[in-house]
Amino acid sequence: MKKHILVIPGDGIGPEVTTWGKAVLEQIGTEYGHKFTFDEALMGHVAIEATGNPLPDETLTKAKACDAILFGAVGHAKYDNDPSAKVRPEQGLLKIRKELGLYANLRPIMLFDELLDASSLKPEVLRGTDILFFRELTGDVYFGEKKRSDDRNTASDLMIYHRYEVERIATKAFEAARSRNKRLCSVDKANVLEASRLWREVVQELAQQYPDVETEHMFIDNAAMQLVKNPKKFDVVLTANLFGDILTDEASQIAGSMGMLASASIGDGTGFFEPIHGSAHDIAGQNKANPLASILSVALMLEISFGLKEEAQRITSAIDQTLKDGYRTGDIADIHTEKSKILGTDAMGQKVLEYLSKSAKN
Ligand code: IPM
Ligand code: MG
């Protein structure tokens, strides 16, 4: 198989972790005889510094022409504390999601047994959890009209959804539920918000076409509570952009760390694969970041964009083995025992490559 992959390392720990995602792709390519070619492009703070634009035209052109995108992170502390900044790194990410029509963000909460103790939640609450979030990614308050009054004392972000936007992501979520444990929980705030009432209406209508899927509706506040109380009750969770952003950060603690969660953004064209964590400037450049979310993003790319299930499985197994042998980055170190062998980003990435080689057929 021949595929051209665009790597967008971005800001903070982005370049450190995508290095290892790319290395894993290269190794899989060599072993299986796939020809993966790579290009690189700028986005976020680094792009603002170089061109003044968080998503330069050149990046967008390359993104539209490639077969899949491996992305790191965007963001910089300097903008976080400056609400008046007109140009922000995150605008690059939001624009590329919109331009590429990436309306469905899949965030699997995959639990490695070895990491049960890395979570602040009790192992018996976590064991057996397997959730797939479908977060809508190109609508909601993220993209609704933003206003600021002339006197600057009033501001608003419009929460807006169109029927077709809810329909297309809900269809993907129902299809996924059908191939999993046949349970779908749609999360909204329909007791208060009109946009959520449309959301619920559309999901209810669509549910009739999926009688084999057990559909449930839950308010976001309740869902946030249920997620830590009894995460096992969830299978597929379908929700809007903002609610999904918040719920998946919360859910990352089920998997032990933000550093473990990968995501796939899909829709009209090229797939976009990224860790759910941000640029983590506090640890950037220190060889401390966990590269596993980027490596797991590559597994998602192989499976979802290229249909290479076996290769994807090999990556997940290599990570499993790495964790079983006690190797950890700081964020997933076992707090209860002394058994963790703490590694930096590079050594951890290298370990996964080693386990991949060891498991090779010949
Ligand atoms: C995410 C991030 C982004 C979002 C930011 C960086 C714009 O938090 O992908 O979850 O809010 O969608
Ligand atoms: Mg987020």
Side-chain angles (χ1 to χ4, degrees):
M1 181 178 281
K2 263 191 185 170
K3 293 288 175 193
H4 187 58
I5 295 137
L6 181 64
V7 180
I8 307 182
D11 303 324
I13 60 170
E16 294 165 67
V17 297
T18 40
T19 295
W20 292 103
K22 183 182 171 197
V24 165
L25 266 175
E26 282 173 325
Q27 185 154 325
I28 287 280
T30 308
E31 193 192 321
Y32 284 85
H34 301 307
K35 193 167 165 27
F36 295 141
T37 53
F38 297 91
D39 196 357
E40 208 165 284
L42 294 174
M43 193 162 93
H45 171 66
V46 286
I48 297 173
E49 295 284 286
T51 70
N53 183 352
L55 179 64
D57 292 344
E58 193 191 339
T59 301
L60 195 54
T61 308
K62 285 181 177 180
K64 286 181 176 165
C66 69
D67 295 306
I69 299 161
L70 177 64
F71 168 64
V74 286
H76 194 282
K78 126 178 179 193
Y79 307 89
D80 295 347
N81 296 317
D82 177 12
S84 67
K86 289 273 175 293
V87 181
R88 318 181 65 87
E90 291 80 3
Q91 290 162 344
L93 181 57
L94 298 182
K95 186 162 178 214
I96 203 167
R97 286 174 178 169
K98 196 73 170 176
E99 290 277 341
L100 297 179
L102 303 168
Y103 60 82
N105 184 220
L106 280 60
R107 297 188 161 181
I109 308 299
M110 215 163 88
L111 210 65
F112 289 93
D113 275 354
E114 298 303 317
L115 295 185
L116 282 173
D117 280 332
S119 173
S120 53
L121 299 172
K122 293 186 185 119
E124 60 269 29
V125 172
L126 300 174
R127 196 172 282 112
T129 299
D130 176 10
I131 309 175
L132 178 56
F133 277 90
F134 277 77
R135 168 189 175 196
E136 199 287 330
L137 204 60
T138 52
D140 206 350
V141 279
Y142 271 68
F143 293 91
E145 191 184 3
K146 296 180 186 302
K147 280 192 193 155
R148 190 72 173 254
S149 65
D150 291 342
D151 67 4
R152 314 283 303 152
N153 290 329
T154 306
S156 65
D157 299 84
L158 181 67
M159 179 179 275
I160 178 166
Y161 266 115
H162 303 286
R163 171 174 287 273
Y164 78 92
E165 292 177 310
V166 185
E167 255 165 21
R168 63 186 180 181
I169 179 136
T171 303
K172 283 208 186 306
F174 273 112
E175 291 293 332
R178 195 165 249 180
S179 68
R180 291 171 48 99
N181 291 319
K182 300 191 169 44
R183 279 180 288 128
L184 181 141
C185 178
S186 174
V187 174
D188 62 32
K189 187 72 185 172
N191 51 347
V192 177
L193 303 170
E194 197 56 36
S196 280
R197 286 193 271 271
L198 170 67
W199 181 281
R200 191 171 285 219
E201 211 174 284
V202 176
V203 176
Q204 276 171 347
E205 282 168 26
L206 214 57
Q208 292 171 14
Q209 293 172 36
Y210 296 88
D212 51 324
V213 175
E214 191 188 309
T215 307
E216 181 185 11
H217 299 268
M218 204 181 273
F219 297 135
I220 175 70
D221 44 353
N222 185 22
M225 183 270 283
Q226 299 286 347
L227 200 56
V228 284
K229 186 178 174 207
N230 184 15
K232 280 194 277 279
K233 79 182 255 98
F234 297 99
D235 175 19
V236 169
V237 177
L238 163 66
T239 192
N241 203 344
L242 181 63
F243 298 156
D245 180 44
I246 299 167
L247 273 192
T248 52
D249 265 30
E250 186 192 356
S252 73
Q253 290 313 302
I254 294 169
S257 165
M258 290 273 282
M260 292 302 298
L261 286 205
S263 90
S265 302
I266 55 171
D268 297 333
T270 318
F272 188 92
F273 299 85
E274 57 171 312
I276 84 153
H277 63 66
S279 52
H281 274 273
D282 51 330
I283 56 162
Q286 296 172 36
N287 194 30
K288 279 186 181 164
N290 184 347
L292 296 182
S294 180
I295 297 173
L296 284 166
S297 300
V298 160
L300 285 178
M301 176 191 295
L302 292 172
E303 183 172 348
I304 296 175
S305 279
F306 307 157
L308 299 173
K309 278 210 164 91
E310 183 187 324
E311 288 86 333
Q313 187 51 50
R314 285 278 312 288
I315 295 175
T316 314
S317 304
I319 291 178
D320 198 32
Q321 203 50 55
T322 307
L323 296 172
K324 277 205 168 77
D325 286 350
Y327 296 106
R328 302 279 191 275
T329 41
D331 59 315
I332 47 172
D334 193 325
I335 47 172
H336 304 296
T337 70
E338 301 288 300
K339 70 182 178 205
S340 302
K341 299 167 203 162
I342 312 277
L343 301 180
T345 312
D346 293 341
M348 192 66 164
Q350 201 60 53
K351 274 285 166 225
V352 176
L353 290 186
E354 276 169 33
Y355 282 104
L356 261 181
S357 302
K358 277 189 206 159
S359 65
K361 280 170 288 196
N362 36 44

